[in-house]
């Protein structure tokens, strides 16, 4: 029974506000906790949308400038297409029991992972602590993020 | 394939210590496996989870993930992590004598 675990802690930076930018970070943070690995999430720039009350239920999949979607850019830019593709993706994820972003973040907070907002981004978007979901532990500076991240693997998504 | 000895019985386990033959598990072994996993005492709440793991394995052939546990075992995600700090699904599966559950959520 060799103890093969070598990663003790991960600090995941979320900088994108698209569905495909946010989910991988949430899945990796939750998965880390499931393995007994400590995890912190640091939301910066548009990643902040995921933890902003007025926005966290309206995250969309990028249908323009997303070659992974294999959809002509012009088509992706038509009105209604981002919503349609997002709903399609959400239905697929629901079948796999992947929770919607609000429920997922609540679950991740319950696992004991830390959820932090970037101070520079909060200032940039003129937000306050009250605009952010209650699971956010603190608004911290980059310096404070690095302090918290000491000894961890830093993952940028 | 290696073996581990619990309650004076040698049982086959995989490289990470998970039972490969869940039928060989008995409740008497749980306390000792838990101790090896860093849990000093199994409370009734631990047992709720352990029994649920075995039921799910018997019904579905695989152990539940943390998400499923939180939704259906009657123990919340928060409490699951208090009971099994090193990862609820994995630790409970080991103590319950079933193979390691696989899942990303």
């Amino acid at each position: 029974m060799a103890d093969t675990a070598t990663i003790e802690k991960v600090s995941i930076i979320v900088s994108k506000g698209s569905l495909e930018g946010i989910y991988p970070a949430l899945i990796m943070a939750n998965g880390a906790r499931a393995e007994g690995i400590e995890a912190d999430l640091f939301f910066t720039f548009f990643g902040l949308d995921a933890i902003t009350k007025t926005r966290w239920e309206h995250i969309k999949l990028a249908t323009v400038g997303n070659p992974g979607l294999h959809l002509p850019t012009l088509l992706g830019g038509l009105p209604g297409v981002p919503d349609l593709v997002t709903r399609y993706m959400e239905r697929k994820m629901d079948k796999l029991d992947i929770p919607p972003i609000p429920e997922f973040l609540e679950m991740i907070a319950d696992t004991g992972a830390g959820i932090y907002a970037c101070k520079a981004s909060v200032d940039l978007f003129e937000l306050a602590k009250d605009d952010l979901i209650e699971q956010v532990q603190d608004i911290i500076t980059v310096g404070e993020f690095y302090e918290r991240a000491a000894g961890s693997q830093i993952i940028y998504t | 394939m290696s073996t581990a000895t619990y309650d004076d019985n040698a049982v086959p386990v995989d490289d990470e210590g998970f039972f490969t033959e869940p039928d060989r598990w008995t409740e008497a072994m749980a306390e000792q496996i838990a101790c090896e996993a860093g849990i000093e005492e199994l409370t009734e709440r631990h047992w709720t989870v352990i029994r649920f793991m075995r039921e799910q394995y018997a019904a579905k052939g695989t152990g539940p993930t943390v998400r499923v546990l939180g939704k259906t075992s009657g123990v919340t995600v928060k409490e699951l992590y208090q009971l099994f700090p090193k990862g609820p699904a994995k630790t409970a599966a080991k103590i319950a004598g079933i193979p390691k559950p696989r899942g990303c959520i």
Side-chain angles (χ1 to χ4, degrees):
Chain A
M1 257 186 277
D3 189 6
T4 52
T6 52
I7 296 178
E8 302 288 331
K9 180 178 177 181
V10 292
S11 302
I12 303 173
I13 302 167
V14 191
S15 69
K16 296 180 188 77
S18 57
L19 191 110
E20 75 278 18
I22 291 164
Y23 264 106
L26 302 187
I27 291 171
M28 293 196 62
N30 181 63
R33 293 299 300 128
E35 295 295 322
I37 299 168
E38 265 190 79
D40 272 348
L41 282 161
F42 183 65
F43 292 88
T44 183
F45 227 90
F46 294 122
L48 215 50
D49 273 9
I51 54 169
T52 303
K53 281 176 194 165
T54 54
R55 294 184 181 269
W56 71 331
E57 285 174 331
H58 311 286
I59 304 290
K60 286 185 180 50
L61 192 108
T63 52
V64 173
N66 181 356
L69 205 57
H70 306 287
L71 193 74
T73 291
L74 271 173
L75 192 61
L78 290 177
V81 170
D83 300 82
L84 199 73
V85 177
T86 300
R87 274 205 300 280
Y88 170 73
M89 196 62 93
E90 282 172 345
R91 272 202 299 275
K92 283 193 83 168
M93 290 198 293
D94 187 51
K95 275 188 192 146
L96 289 170
D97 206 25
I98 301 174
I101 287 172
E103 192 191 329
F104 210 167
L105 277 162
E106 282 167 24
M107 180 185 167
I108 288 169
D110 284 346
T111 69
I115 296 176
Y116 295 92
C118 160
K119 184 170 186 318
S121 307
V122 167
D123 291 346
L124 180 65
F125 297 124
E126 297 175 7
L127 297 168
K129 185 96 166 58
D130 280 354
D131 296 314
L132 306 176
I133 60 169
E134 60 177 277
Q135 286 81 12
V136 174
Q137 279 165 348
D138 208 354
I139 298 168
I140 61 174
T141 65
V142 170
E144 286 160 350
F145 164 75
Y146 282 125
E147 266 176 46
R148 281 202 58 86
S152 76
Q153 303 286 325
I154 295 178
I155 302 170
Y156 187 88
T157 67
Chain B
M1 189 72 74
S2 44
T3 58
T5 306
Y6 300 116
D7 195 33
D8 292 329
N9 281 298
V11 288
V13 292
D14 69 10
D15 291 342
E16 293 177 275
F18 290 88
F19 276 54
T20 49
E21 293 174 29
D23 290 345
R24 305 275 294 271
W25 179 89
T26 63
E27 288 201 359
M29 298 175 176
E31 204 74 53
Q32 208 182 332
I33 308 171
C35 198
E36 280 181 7
I39 293 166
E40 282 181 23
E41 195 195 340
L42 291 178
T43 64
E44 201 40 53
R45 294 301 278 168
H46 285 104
W47 275 106
T48 301
V49 181
I50 293 165
R51 294 197 182 105
F52 186 83
M53 297 298 290
R54 289 206 61 94
E55 283 165 22
Q56 286 277 303
Y57 180 79
K60 296 181 175 164
T62 176
T65 61
V66 183
R67 164 134 168 101
V68 173
L69 277 176
K71 275 193 347 188
T72 51
S73 70
V75 181
T76 64
V77 170
K78 209 171 202 164
E79 192 186 351
L80 282 166
Y81 275 93
Q82 284 158 3
L83 294 169
F84 305 96
K86 288 279 172 194
K90 215 174 76 170
T91 313
K94 191 175 272 184
I95 298 169
I98 63 169
K100 184 177 174 176
R102 293 190 77 235
C104 290
I105 312 295

